[in-house]
């Protein structure tokens, strides 16, 4: 199977100072090296694959075109892909991802553009390919996985009434969520309605850092199944089924628990959030360290639900981009440095993405070609034996004709002899 070594790509998105920061008299403490994907903060200099947002760097709206569009293309070629937004609460993760998209036409953010692009592509390929597109939307909150599309939680609101779902592993080591809702969607609008439904279900609670921010990890997944139809079947030998997934992940705030500074319960949530992100950090460290990787160091995916769900996206079968979101405000400098360090390590991770062919379809394809080959051989064998029979008949005919020939030869000789005897008798008769 085709495979490609892909490092996890890292982009940094720097939002402008927002009103509350301006009102608090904050100033910019982050600068960008013009024309370079490089961020400077104090004496620190960090280089990434892309940097967006501040003067000297491309605008944030370019993220989709430059970072996400290649992943959508890969998705249609059968690769898994993941987009992760990382950063402290209020740094712009939800804004960047567009997780709060409610169907508005002028929406910014990655997810609405992904939807648009997917259905554009489907429209173009529809004559040759059958598509089955499904979505799932989950959140990981206090180390439990919840189905944001479960129709029963829709009315029950977030909270203790929700039943967590279990993470299971397939025989081949793939991760799946037992019983998660996976509605099939046929249009961008339908897909957007599921995103909107899930976003409303997301657990949110206020902290003094961002009154609207969610303290859960949200994962919106688009699964695409493609099957080439009969018309392309003739010309294309690869008439198999491709199944690929795009994970769009809006992580919870990466700030340390003490900064949430809320009541006991909130603090506990903060610690749980940090458990996921702490494990994510450990996974990134284990995968990003070349020496450790070569030594086959243990990667602690199982330490948290978040790292288990993302197991394939980091160090596995996925083309992955992490978008580190940062605030440029001097009041956030410590957290911004932490985010930039974390993102720098993620850049060292190597993934190995492969095209996901449906194993059943691939086996069917192999058996079908084997059958065709055997039918060909059988046909050839059949035609061979018919030829042999024909030769035999011809041989018999030849020997029969040879025999007839001999008899005729004999008869001619006999007739010839008789003629000559007759001539002799005539010539010996006395002449008068
Ligand atoms: P997070 O999800 O990381 O907690 P949000 O996406 O909710 O952060 O953003 C926090 C605030 O900053 C919101 O009010 C949002 O509108 C604003 N914001 C984020 N990114 C940008 C941006 N690129 N341009 C303008 N405002 C932004
Ligand atoms: Mg958010």
């Amino acid at each position: 199977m085709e495979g490609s070594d892909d490092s996890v790509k890292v982009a940094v998105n720097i939002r402008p100072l927002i009103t509350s920061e301006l009102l608090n008299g904050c100033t910019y403490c982050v600068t960008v090296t013009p024309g370079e994907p490089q961020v400077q903060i104090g004496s620190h200099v960090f280089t990434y694959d892309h940097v967006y947002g501040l003067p000297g760097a491309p605008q944030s709206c370019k993220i989709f075109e430059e970072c996400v569009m290649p992943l959508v293309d890969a998705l249609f070629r059968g690769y898994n892909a993941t987009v992760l937004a990382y950063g402290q609460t209020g740094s712009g993760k939800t804004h960047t991802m567009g997780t709060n998209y409610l169907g508005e036409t002028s929406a910014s953010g990655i997810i609405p553009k992904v939807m648009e692009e997917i259905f554009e592509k489907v429209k173009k390929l529809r004559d040759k390919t059958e598509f089955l597109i499904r979505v799932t939307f989950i959140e990981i909150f206090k180390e439990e996985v919840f189905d944001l599309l479960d129709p029963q939680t829709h009315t029950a609101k977030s909270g203790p009434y929700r039943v967590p779902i279990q993470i299971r592993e397939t025989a081949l080591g793939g991760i799946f969520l037992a019983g998660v809702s996976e509605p099939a969607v046929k249009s961008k609008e339908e897909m957007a309605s599921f995103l909107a439904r899930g976003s409303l279900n997301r657990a949110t609670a206020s902290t003094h850092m961002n009154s609207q921010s969610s303290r859960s990890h949200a994962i919106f997944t688009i699964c695409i199944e493609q099957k080439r139809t009969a018309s392309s079947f003739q010309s294309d030998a690869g008439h198999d089924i491709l199944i690929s997934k795009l994970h769009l992940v809006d992580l919870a705030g990466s700030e340390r628990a003490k900064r949430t500074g809320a009541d006991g319960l909130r603090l506990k949530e903060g610690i749980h959030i940090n458990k996921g992100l702490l494990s994510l950090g450990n996974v990134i460290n284990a995968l990003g360290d070349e020496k450790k990787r070569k030594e086959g160091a243990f990667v602690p995916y199982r330490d948290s639900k978040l790292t288990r769900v993302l197991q394939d996206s980091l160090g596995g079968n996925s083309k992955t981009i992490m978008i580190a979101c940062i605030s440029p405000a001097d009041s956030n400098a410590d957290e911004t440095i932490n985010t930039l360090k974390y993102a720098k390590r993620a850049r060292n991770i190597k993934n190995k993405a492969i095209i996901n062919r449906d194993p059943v379809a691939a086996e069917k394809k192999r058996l079908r070609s084997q059958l065709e080959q055997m039918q060909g051989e059988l046909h050839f064998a059949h035609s061979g034996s018919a030829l042999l029979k024909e030769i035999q008949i011809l041989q018999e005919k030849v020997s029969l004709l040879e025999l007839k020939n001999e008899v005729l030869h004999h008869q001619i000789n006999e007739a010839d002899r008789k003629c000559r005897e007759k001539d002799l008798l005539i010539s010996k008769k006395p002449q008068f």
Side-chain angles (χ1 to χ4, degrees):
M1 246 184 225
E2 306 95 296
S4 58
D5 276 322
D6 295 289
S7 299
V8 168
K9 298 271 186 302
V10 177
V12 174
N13 191 23
I14 313 163
R15 66 157 169 74
L17 285 176
I18 53 175
T19 316
S20 57
E21 289 168 337
L22 290 167
L23 287 173
N24 283 329
C26 295
T27 55
Y28 282 86
C29 69
V30 180
T31 54
V32 172
T33 311
E36 297 288 333
Q38 202 173 60
V39 178
Q40 293 178 37
I41 176 166
S43 58
H44 302 272
V45 179
F46 299 96
T47 305
Y48 302 94
D49 297 294
H50 304 274
V51 173
Y52 298 94
L54 282 192
Q59 291 183 328
S60 301
C61 58
K62 293 265 179 209
I63 295 179
F64 176 75
E65 199 180 312
E66 294 178 2
C67 301
V68 184
M69 186 96 134
L71 297 195
V72 178
D73 287 340
L75 184 74
F76 278 79
R77 281 184 280 125
Y79 289 99
N80 289 343
T82 306
V83 183
L84 293 158
Y86 179 90
Q88 76 176 114
T89 299
S91 61
K93 297 178 297 295
T94 300
H95 188 272
T96 304
M97 292 304 287
T99 322
N100 282 347
Y101 176 58
L102 296 174
E104 57 276 34
T105 44
S106 59
S108 63
I110 289 168
I111 298 181
K113 289 183 189 156
V114 164
M115 293 182 180
E116 180 99 40
E117 183 61 27
I118 284 178
F119 285 98
E120 275 297 308
K121 278 191 161 25
V122 166
K123 212 160 113 189
K124 278 189 204 140
L125 298 167
R126 223 168 12 206
D127 319 337
K128 288 192 213 140
T129 312
E130 266 174 38
F131 287 95
L132 175 62
I133 302 180
R134 286 170 295 149
V135 292
T136 63
F137 197 4
I138 58 155
E139 80 171 337
I140 303 172
F141 186 57
K142 296 202 255 177
E143 274 304 279
E144 299 278 20
V145 181
F146 295 102
D147 183 356
L148 291 173
L149 299 181
D150 182 347
Q152 295 191 326
T153 57
H154 185 47
T155 46
K157 286 233 169 207
S158 59
Y161 303 105
R162 300 190 302 173
V163 181
I165 49 175
Q166 301 302 313
I167 302 172
R168 300 254 167 81
E169 207 164 318
T170 65
L172 296 171
I175 298 290
F176 73 97
L177 299 160
V180 73
S181 318
E182 276 184 293
V185 291
K186 290 209 162 58
S187 67
K188 190 184 93 184
E189 289 71 28
E190 208 179 347
M191 192 183 268
S193 77
F194 283 112
L195 179 75
R197 186 189 294 181
S199 295
L200 287 174
N201 275 338
R202 243 185 120 181
T204 55
S206 59
T207 69
H208 64 223
M209 293 188 81
N210 181 334
S211 60
Q212 278 299 304
S213 180
S214 168
R215 283 162 303 117
S216 64
H217 312 290
I219 306 180
F220 185 69
T221 304
I222 303 170
C223 177
I224 299 194
E225 226 175 283
Q226 304 176 67
K227 191 173 148 205
R228 311 260 160 87
T229 49
S231 52
S232 63
F233 178 85
Q234 305 291 337
S235 57
D236 191 346
H239 50 275
D240 45 5
I241 297 175
L242 298 178
I243 304 174
S244 48
K245 280 182 180 193
L246 172 64
H247 287 309
L248 297 153
V249 188
D250 183 350
L251 293 167
S254 60
E255 63 279 0
R256 280 155 293 174
K258 61 178 164 52
R259 287 204 68 176
T260 56
D263 55 48
L265 185 69
R266 297 276 156 70
L267 198 63
K268 215 169 146 200
E269 285 175 12
I271 290 163
H272 275 300
I273 291 164
N274 283 351
K275 186 176 175 187
L277 290 175
L278 187 72
S279 309
L280 185 63
N282 292 338
V283 165
I284 288 173
N285 282 350
L287 292 167
D289 185 324
E290 199 174 351
K291 192 162 160 265
K292 278 190 191 165
R293 202 172 49 231
K294 279 192 179 141
E295 286 166 2
F298 173 71
V299 183
Y301 290 114
R302 283 179 174 268
D303 282 4
S304 74
K305 298 276 164 48
L306 177 69
T307 45
R308 280 214 78 194
V309 172
L310 295 180
Q311 190 161 336
D312 236 13
S313 309
L314 297 159
N317 173 22
S318 179
K319 290 178 182 278
T320 299
I321 178 144
M322 176 185 273
I323 303 170
C325 298
I326 58 169
S327 149
D330 50 0
S331 60
N332 286 319
D334 283 355
E335 288 299 343
T336 297
I337 292 172
N338 280 341
T339 300
L340 291 171
K341 282 183 180 165
Y342 199 97
K344 191 173 163 244
R345 287 197 302 267
R347 225 183 144 210
N348 297 330
I349 298 176
K350 297 265 187 290
N351 278 7
K352 190 157 182 73
I354 56 162
I355 294 178
N356 301 303
R357 299 216 146 85
D358 179 358
V360 177
E363 182 64 7
K364 263 194 199 163
K365 185 179 155 193
R366 195 183 64 77
L367 289 174
R368 191 179 295 140
S369 81
Q370 206 174 35
L371 185 68
E372 276 166 13
Q373 195 185 337
M374 285 167 78
Q375 277 172 337
E377 278 171 19
L378 202 65
H379 180 74
F380 184 73
H382 269 309
S383 57
S385 75
L387 209 67
L388 217 67
K389 234 180 199 159
E390 210 167 313
I391 291 171
Q392 249 175 5
I393 293 170
L394 287 172
Q395 273 176 344
E396 278 169 22
K397 266 189 184 169
V398 168
S399 30
L400 215 70
L401 287 170
E402 275 174 352
L403 204 70
K404 259 190 181 169
N405 195 19
E406 233 170 86
V407 172
L408 285 171
H409 217 74
H410 185 74
Q411 282 175 349
I412 290 171
N413 283 345
E414 201 58 18
D416 191 40
R417 193 181 55 80
K418 276 182 182 165
C419 277
R420 263 186 274 140
E421 273 177 7
K422 247 184 202 166
D423 284 347
L424 206 64
L425 269 175
I426 291 167
S427 64
K428 276 183 183 172
K429 266 188 183 172
Q431 307 271 318
F432 299 103

